[in-house]
Structure formats: C-alpha cells, structure tokens
Amino acid sequence: MCGIAMVRLLKPLDYYQEKYGTWQYGLQKMYLLMEKQHNRGQEGAGLATVKLDMPAGEEYIWRERVEGKNAIQEIFATINKKMSNATADVYRNVAKSKEELPFAGELYLGHLRYSTTGRSGLSYVHPFLRRHNWKNRTLVLAGNFNLTNVDELFDHLTLKGQHPRDKGDTFLMLESLGFQLDQEVQKEYDIIKKRYSNDLVITQKIEENLDIASFIRKSEKMWDGGYVICGMLGHGDSFVFRDPKGIRPAFYYISDEIVVTASERPVIQTAMNVKEEDIKELQPGEAMIIKKDGTVKFETIRSAAPELAKCSFERIYFSRGSDIDIYRERKQLGESLAQPILKAIDNDIENTVFSFIPNTAEVAFYGMKDGIKASTKVPIRVEKVLIKDIKLRTFISSNNERDDLATHVYDVTYGSIRRGKVDNLVCIDDSIVRGTTLKQSILKILNRLEPKKIVIVSSSPQVRFPDYYGIDMARMNEFCAFRAAIELLKESGRQSLIDAVYHKSKAQENLPKEQVVNYVTEIYEPFTQDEISKKIAEMLTPGDVNCPVELVYQTIDGLHKACPNHTGDWYFSGNYPTPGGNRLVNKAFINYYEGRDNN
Ligand SMILES: O=P(O)(O)OC[C@H]1O[C@H](OP(=O)(O)OP(=O)(O)O)[C@H](O)[C@@H]1O
Ligand SMILES: NC(=O)CC[C@H](N)C(=O)O
C-alpha cells in the first residue's frame, strides 16, 4: 500500500514563476502530495524529475531516494541544500535555474514505500531508474503494487535471455516494462526509417508516435496482482495505469496548467485546493497517458473485470479518513455495531465509558457513538482513554521492530473511568490482525484503570487470510483469527480437518494457479464468527488482566453495506481477486503445516 504522486507541469517553468512567484511550483506541490501520504509508507521515499528538452550533454533526470521514516524531509532538505548553493542570479533566472539546478523540471514522480516484498535497502526504494543512451528508452518507475506471480515473471524474463539482477517485484516490473518499451521503440524506428533519413528527425518522430498503451499492454499480460504503476520516459512522456480489478487506488486532477496523480483523493484536494468533484478516479484497467507535448489521453489497457475487487482495507485503514466518502463509510462501520456492543455491556449505558484506539479508528468511533445514542436515546459517557505516544503505524512497521514498538506506543488517561471495577470500557479499533497491539499493550494498560469489563470492538471483520495485494502478511500463523480457529479445531478433536486441508493443498501445489482452490476457508467453516471471537479474546488476554475481555467484530455483510463500492474482501473472506492469491494462500498453509511459518 505504498503512496504514489505524480505531477506534470503543462506550461513552461516561466509561467509558474510569473503566476505563483516561483518556478518551484511543481516541486512544492510534490512535497505536499508526498507529505500528506506519509501514512502510506514510512520505510523510504523517493523523488525523480525529468527536465524536458535539455540539450545533449546536460543531465535531464534527477533522482533522490532515502530510507527511513524521515525520508521525505531528508529528500527535500537535500534538494533545498543543492538549490541554496545557487547564486541569486541563477535562482532568479528560470532558464538558468533549469539549466543548472537539480529538480528544476516539468515532470515529477514521488513515492512512499511500504515494502510488500519484505526487502529493505535503498536499492528497493522507488522510483526505479533504467537508464539508456536514448531518452525514449529511459524509464523511471514507481508503483503501489504487489504481484503474486513474481516467480513466473522471473522465469519468463530469463527464458527470453534477460538477466534480471534481483527477484524483487519492482526490479521485475522495470525489466518487464523496459523490455516491451525497447520493442515498441524498435517497431516505431523500423516504420519511420522508411520515410525519413535524418536520425534526429527519426528520434523526434519515434517520441511523437510512441504507443505507450501498447507496450504497457504487452507487459501487463504477465502480471497477476494489484497495481497502480506510474512511469516517466526520458524524453517526457508519462503514464499511470491501474489493475483491471481496481484493487489499488489512483486519483487524478487535470487543469490547463497541471496534471496531478496520487493514491488518495483528499491529498490532491488539499494540495491543489480543489473540490472532490474536480478529482477523478482512474478506472480499473485504464491508463492515463500524458505525452511530452502535454496532451492527455486515456486508454483501456485491459477491460475492467466484470467483478471489481477494490480493496476495502483502503477504506477501513490504509487511506486517510479525510476523504468525504471514506469518512462516511468509517462512521457507518462504527454505527452498525451498536447492537452487538449493547449486548456485550448488557445495555448498562450508565456504567460504561466509550472510547477508541488511536488513530485510524477515531472516525468509526464517532459512528459508534451515534449508533449507541440512536438506540438508547440516553446520554452516553465518552472519554479519551487511550493515547498514542509514538506517531507511527505499528501495523505496517516491519515485524522485528513491531513487538517492542507495540508495547510502548500507547498510554492511558488516568481517571478517565471510575476505578474499582465499576465501569465497562468499550474501545473501538479499526482492525485486529496479529493481535500484538492488544496483547502486548492495549489490554494491559486498560487494565490499570480497573474496569469491570473490557470490550474491544473491531470496525472490520476478522482478518483470516493473508493480503498479497497490498501488504506484507504472508504467514498464516500471524493471524490471531487463524490461530484461534486452529486452537478450536484441536480442542474439539478435529485435527483431522487440519490434516485434510493440508493434503488437499499439497495435492494442488504444482497445479497452474488458475486451477488452485482456497481450501484454507475450510479451517474456519465449523465455527461461527462469535466462537472465533471468543477464542481470540481468550488467547490475547494477558494473564495479569483481571477483568473479562470480549471482542466484537464487524461482519462481512456489515462491511459491504458500509463500503458498497469497495467489495474486495479477500483478507476477511478468502475470496482472492486473482488466481495468484489462491496459489499463495495454498503455499502459506502448507508452510504453516510443515512448520516453516517461523522461518
Ligand atoms: O492486531 P495487530 O497486528 O497488532 O494490528 C492492528 C493494529 O494496527 C493498527 O494500528 P496502527 O499502529 O497501524 O496505527 P493507526 O491506527 O494509528 O494507523 C490498527 O489500527 C490496529 O490497532
Ligand atoms: N506497497 C507497495 O506498493 C510496495 C511496492 C513494491 N512491491 C515494493 O515492495 O517495493
């Protein structure tokens, strides 16, 4: 679930100097677009610029990449430092600035990285760059994506005689697109050469005629996964395209002076100060192509799938809740849980305090409050019980650091409830995935307040399956819902069901991905959602917590009612949007069963 941001300035830099007082207009917008998508990835960030029409001998692509959670600041500090060395004379003169200063370009591509491949290191930070001595074969790439068939893609490229230097998915994506780009340029060259003899004219004609959609289409055929990929070519064409199921999100804004693309709508709204209706969603399977001359066109790369699978986790957690629709949806998620919550507290409103686990769950909390008020028609007690001290998303930080972080991230407001087991405490969270946050931190510190009962509400359903399309959660054993179902099966003497699922999974291990069935769903089938919730609560309650703990989860039906346009729910239902997901979950279960989950 990385964040992407792309800006194309449609006018010469002088225009922005005159109108906005600075030729750095595009760069400043990029800073905002990236900073406001900080939530989407803290492992690293990168920014690249293409300067149009630079004379031969001059650099035309600049790139800065930094690892770590302060990456955005560091990138812009470095750029500013380089700029500040310029003399006032250069700085005031747009032409000279473009000639001499880095990042004085018309095309910008930025990226916030959250690894889905588990690989870290600067070489994995986007944008990736494939240099070539022809500008039209030079490719800069960044994406919010995960492919489920990296092995297939790797084999495909190596069988063609290529030598990908890494199995990381962005490397393969770059090689895959780069290879087809070369072919496309060659095709144009062969046609144009018949009509022109001057090589400079031929190059210019290639760049004018280059069919971006065609080379994307040819490489895209090989990909199974969720993706939004942005690219810039050295001569100045750029593109962004989205997977045919619409799994990953992309939005754009076009005016007569700028084209802006980002992963989240309100980010563009704020950065550009425009209304939500001015921003459009890139359609599934569609590419937006911006030619060097500034013409913008849309082409279907692959027809949108009849059954879209736009990721519902974007709505619940990944994206910021400031989007007009997401805000409403999150509220609805909370509101719809009023009845099961009232049941969990035995309708004892008078002795219950309602609160939330910061930060993403805050909006669902407002909805929950409305729902409870509407049902009970009496005032309810609401307090800020939990505080998040470290502004970091534990859920998306890497596994190793995670446990330690989870322990120290939260704190409580003392006195927010009455001591001595008088009050129930209801706290809503957006999701419970591994359960680490609850077990290692939340439940222990809430217990310090001496509640009568703790009810933890999850505004999303039980996360039962690995994602594979946006986040790096590949091991079955990581999911507390899975551990609970396995425990229930074992306790009730149904180990044979686990064995049977293993044998069925094993039997289809080498089948083509299109034929693989997700048998892991059978692990959950014998139990109701409530039975699994009870088991999770039991397993996550630390021994020193001395009050009852209950978990209330959203249902899949409730999720679809709240987020009707984002029906992708594979992590809750096991209904993977592409065949690659079934193959990977099959493999994940085999790994679990064979004891390789902890490797
Ligand atoms: O069950 P777990 O595997 O521990 O993960 C789930 C927790 O992680 C997320 O919070 P995060 O720290 O990302 O913060 P945010 O809600 O503030 O973005 C989420 O909101 C849950 O609280
Ligand atoms: N979350 C993402 O979109 C990550 C992109 C890519 N799969 C990577 O690991 O770098």
Side-chain angles (χ1 to χ4, degrees), residues 9-17 23 94 98 106 257:
L9 299 176
L10 296 173
K11 310 270 190 200
L13 293 183
D14 300 284
Y15 173 89
Y16 306 92
Q17 176 80 23
W23 56 261
V94 181
K98 180 162 169 185
E106 294 85 352
E257 58 186 44

Side-chain angles (χ1 to χ4, degrees), residues 1-3 40 111-119 124-126 128 143-147 169-170 226 228 248 469-471:
M1 48 145 298
C2 301
R40 300 189 69 86
H111 189 260
L112 293 313
R113 183 167 191 247
Y114 160 70
S115 161
T116 58
T117 56
R119 290 161 201 246
Y124 292 97
V125 177
H126 309 209
F128 275 37
N144 170 18
F145 75 103
N146 194 48
L147 296 181
D169 58 358
T170 318
V228 165
R248 302 264 58 91
Y469 297 84
I471 45 172

